[in-house]
């Protein structure tokens, strides 16, 4: 889809990403000097594939692996070297990026019987761009550190289009001194790279943002629907909200009501954008984190339930702003 | 309190309030010519009192009534004429503003045994600035029209401070041709006057905005709390959200986490601002409207419940952003 | 439908309905003596029609009114006298039963321009079997008392089948001394007549029961669905729950999972029973009452929202236990 | 506390637990013959300690381990043999019962570096009575089977009192042919032993029951509170609900309103019973399971949030029926 969730605006970002790295570690100096040595890449799906290609475009040799041979074939045709396992990737590259669909996959790729940790070299930098449970990121980080290597979580914001055009946003958690080393690679694939804090905070920032996004979107959908039924013109209502304290990204940038804005999924039958299934997955991670930390999240929790129900009602592949359509249906018709 | 909920920004508002009134009715012409004839005012509470004073300041003679003699006394000292009942106000003024605490009070003042409608003159303009159920506004409007007078709902946004400084925002519902006549008076008391549509839409706009505001605020509180427990710095998290799709008024203008922003209630122990009790009241009105129109509002409904519980837990008088504090308390401490 | 919500069991009920009426009022004595004098009936819909017929069967002359001429025609053919308005009914009968679809209809029939109160006789007994907002019942009761007559709310439990077979349950609110007079008539139409307290408590008891019923039903549906997905056999799970602290009427008497029980709507594609629309209406009344009394009802409120959404998704006419089907749909299929 | 959550009634239970074991495996025959050989026990907390003592009372030698030396000391004084690790327990006993506070602890005790699986003998029977995520139970079961041993999950219902008096209920998941072997030991500690299906279904049955229990309890608390505010007498309302479709275990056996029933925690300032913290934990497990299986559980999810908030508001140690008190507080007082 050509719509893109602009998670992070471009302005101001230099300020954030210019992290003061007073004492750069020896390891990262070495890696920096050897800048165009091979970069490993594990997970060549819809997102990983274009990301790896962008590394190739920037002149980095890529050593890649995926469980699906076809995915390997495609990136091989673009010039990457293919290996037999994550362990083999770790043997051939001391900087590795992973992009996997779930916490279980990430655990397997790092700590499994043919996982990266079987052959990882000391001082390696391992960057996981999967969106997974921050608790799993921390667990993997510990295992990585035991081997004398370094782990950072760097989940992305932005869909397949942003992956292709190199416009992803990375939210990075890990040791601050390693941030510049990670940034060198991540800027090949993304327009914005934000340092969030210790390991796990990249994931935390992403799931926090997406939880609030879901709440704002459902809230906007409810509110617009209520206002319309009370006789308000949708465009006027959006205008009033956007000048007022009800304003949010979902009301002023991504309004879910058809006819209010152009160039958003609601103007195109909710095609493209950020799918309901993906939102439900991220909200599931938010709930796991909330349960683990005993944090009450009543609206986040209910939003999760709503997107869960929508997935089973034919909205799974539609943009998540289709919650307006879901709530809109009139029992009187 | 000196905090003010800026419901409507000043920019752009001329565009909205410049309503095309092709055919001004005879009645409103007459009233306009007689511009400095007395204006009636019923309901002289915390809000009504400074509003009536602003009318006096602008040179309008005011004929006032309130059930509480002390409230009458104060405005009388400022130069207003006091009457014995709403009916008597209607006898002496053909433009009346009412500012009452509830739907029941509004019904009584308009249709009660000593109500305005007992003595209202044909062609009078009656403006109700109370925040009440839009269905009640419509009901009153019908009764008013039967008497040959005109009714508009014009609830306000902004608290006591804005009432004093004449910086309220009015959201106005009613016949469009009467809007200019209403605006003449309302601009004495408010900085912004927005036309929303037919009778009841002023109320609708207000309760819609406040419902989305409540959802955004609770969502922001949950999200900030979760992020903090996951190890994120609150200021950094707010910065990330505000550059991202999680952005909303409650995160970027009125952040509920102490230490993130200055000049907001969270920086002052949640003193001042917009009280939890008032938010609970507005959410109750939103739920009534949703039930009447069979509109599903899952998050709005749950937000109502949360503010309802908070009212009973010692948060009634605190600013509504204190929901962060409510959710924040740690069971491990 | 031949399924019946058995709201009140028959055992024990004598104990409850045997109200000590130490001092029977003069009015009720008079009415009792004149036992077979005409009984008025306003509202001849799906429920009112068979109720009125049961009064006729018990030998009471019936004076009836309905806004729909066809409804009048049918009861006229059964021997009732038809009048032109509720007021006319009140002129011809000093005991009147009303059975109306909404609070607004009840207000109109009692206090409207041709309403009962226009011609009600002193000492009349007016019984409203509509399910409406208890606050409206109280309001009507006050107006009735001003005319020197007596009002009781007596909403029913049980559907059209119970109305036909005279097996309804009446939950009665009003002055205790009048209860026996009301019971004389209500036992013609119902198997159980329960005295609940002052005016409005009949409504209160009904909406309280139905709110808890909705919560228990949705809870049972969620739980059964979760258990099935976790690998439990539905019948075994129901058996375990019913022996345990999870037990409720919806799990042990009206289980929503097809195949677990016989003779319930879930065994018949959710035909018959108590429709989702009616449940949504009752939950709306519960929410109105909760808002009015500032009572937090988080689960009741969310249950209302769920049935509201279901009404718009094709479940309006199905039994309310179809919430299992609504939640059951699998996003993976 | 002397209150006990009677999860499973005693009647009927023989029918359920009499599992047809057509072909008893050789391993279980051997164990059965060697009936009074040592039984291992890991986890000697508030529950494990009295459970292990009951095994001793029934004549079983017990080989025990706990991370806390004091816990070991106490059971040693009762006659048990103490070992240095779970692995050592597995070396000395081929039937082991574990009773641990969390999924993480269970994983450690079974698969950790000194875990049971390091030294487990082929054909051993390992029974985990912890309440943990059913997904973890399945994971452990797989690891156990790889070693040629057998695993069953058997979480308990009933508190410390039931553990002492040997009146626990066990809900057992695992291979059916092993059930009798497990039952032989479990009946020493519990009055009821219910076979639920394959591995993980014991946990599933427990968390399903407790989720529905929480929903019913909060629903009952809301409903009773609403009814009381609408003018109903609490005892009468409970009586009406219990004869009606609103009936549930929380309304008829464990009513949360003080004064309605005797011998329940609500009659004793919510002391004893089943603590809010424990309910919050079980609801967290239910949410994890629901998220994993993509099952929508709107009321279960909100109930989790409510108990989560209560834990932080001073209700952590009170019985979970104190939700009535939590919701009851009046904002007008």
């Amino acid at each position: 889809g050509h719509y893109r969730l602009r998670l992070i605006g471009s302005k101001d970002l230099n300020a954030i990403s210019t992290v003061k790295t007073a004492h750069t570690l020896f390891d990262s100096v070495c890696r920096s000097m050897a800048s165009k040595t091979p970069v490993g890449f594990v997970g060549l799906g819809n997102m990983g594939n274009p990301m790896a290609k962008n590394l190739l475009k920037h002149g980095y040799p890529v050593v890649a692996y995926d469980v699906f041979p076809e995915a390997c074939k495609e990136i091989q045709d673009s010039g990457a070297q293919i290996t037999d396992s994550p362990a083999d990737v770790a043997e051939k590259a001391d900087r590795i990026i992973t992009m996997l669909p779930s916490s279980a996959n990430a655990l397997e790729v790092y700590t499994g019987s043919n996982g990266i940790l079987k052959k990882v070299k000391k001082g390696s930098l391992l960057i996981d761009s999967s969106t997974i449970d921050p608790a799993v990121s921390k667990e993997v980080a510990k295992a990585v550190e035991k081997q004398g290597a370094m782990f950072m979580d760097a989940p992305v914001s932005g869909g397949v289009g942003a992956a292709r055009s190199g416009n992803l946003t990375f939210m990075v958690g890990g040791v601050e001194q390693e941030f510049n080393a990670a940034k060198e690679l991540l800027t090949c694939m993304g327009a914005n790279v934000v340092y969030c804090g210790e390991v796990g905070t990249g994931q935390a920032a992403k799931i926090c943002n997406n939880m609030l996004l879901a709440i704002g979107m459902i809230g906007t959908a409810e509110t617009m629907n209520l206002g319309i039924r009370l006789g308000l013109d949708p465009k006027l209502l959006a205008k009033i909200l956007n000048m007022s304290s009800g304003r949010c990204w979902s009301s002023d940038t991504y309004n879910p009501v058809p006819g209010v804005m152009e160039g958003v999924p609601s103007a195109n039958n909710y095609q493209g954008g950020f799918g309901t299934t993906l939102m439900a997955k991220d909200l599931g991670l938010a709930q796991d984190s909330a349960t683990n930390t005993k944090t009450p999240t009543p609206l986040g929790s209910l939003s999760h339930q709503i997107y869960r129900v929508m997935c089973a009602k034919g909205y799974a592949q539609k943009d998540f702003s289709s919650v307006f359509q879901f709530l809109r249906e009139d029992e009187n018709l």
Side-chain angles (χ1 to χ4, degrees), chain A residues 60-139:
Chain A
Y60 291 93
V62 168
V63 182
Y65 173 76
D66 193 280
V67 282
F68 293 107
E70 321 84 73
C72 293
K73 183 74 176 59
E74 190 183 339
I75 198 75
Q76 191 173 25
D77 294 346
S78 300
Q81 179 188 353
I82 302 302
T83 65
D84 289 339
S85 70
D88 289 348
V89 171
E91 201 172 25
K92 292 180 172 142
D94 62 0
R95 293 177 292 181
I96 304 176
I97 291 162
T98 52
M99 188 62 178
L100 304 155
S102 74
S103 297
N105 293 120
L107 277 172
E108 179 68 21
V109 160
Y110 280 91
T111 65
S113 53
N114 284 308
I116 289 172
L117 295 193
K118 290 293 179 199
K119 300 191 181 170
V120 70
K121 294 179 229 169
K122 292 210 174 190
S124 290
L125 176 62
L126 313 179
I127 302 172
D128 182 33
S129 284
S130 320
T131 295
I132 60 172
D133 188 332
V136 172
S137 297
K138 287 182 186 176
E139 191 183 329

Side-chain angles (χ1 to χ4, degrees), chain A residues 8-57:
Chain A
I8 303 283
S10 47
K11 35 179 177 170
D12 258 323
L13 272 159
N14 291 336
I16 282 197
S17 56
T18 309
V19 176
K20 313 114 214 154
T21 46
H23 306 284
T24 308
L25 293 181
F26 177 71
D27 285 338
S28 68
V29 170
C30 289
R31 282 194 306 266
S32 184
M33 283 165 57
S35 192
K36 300 289 176 176
T37 57
V39 175
F41 208 107
V42 180
L44 303 163
N46 291 334
M47 293 294 287
N49 195 300
M51 288 166 71
K53 282 181 186 163
N54 275 325
L55 282 172
L56 287 166
K57 276 184 205 157

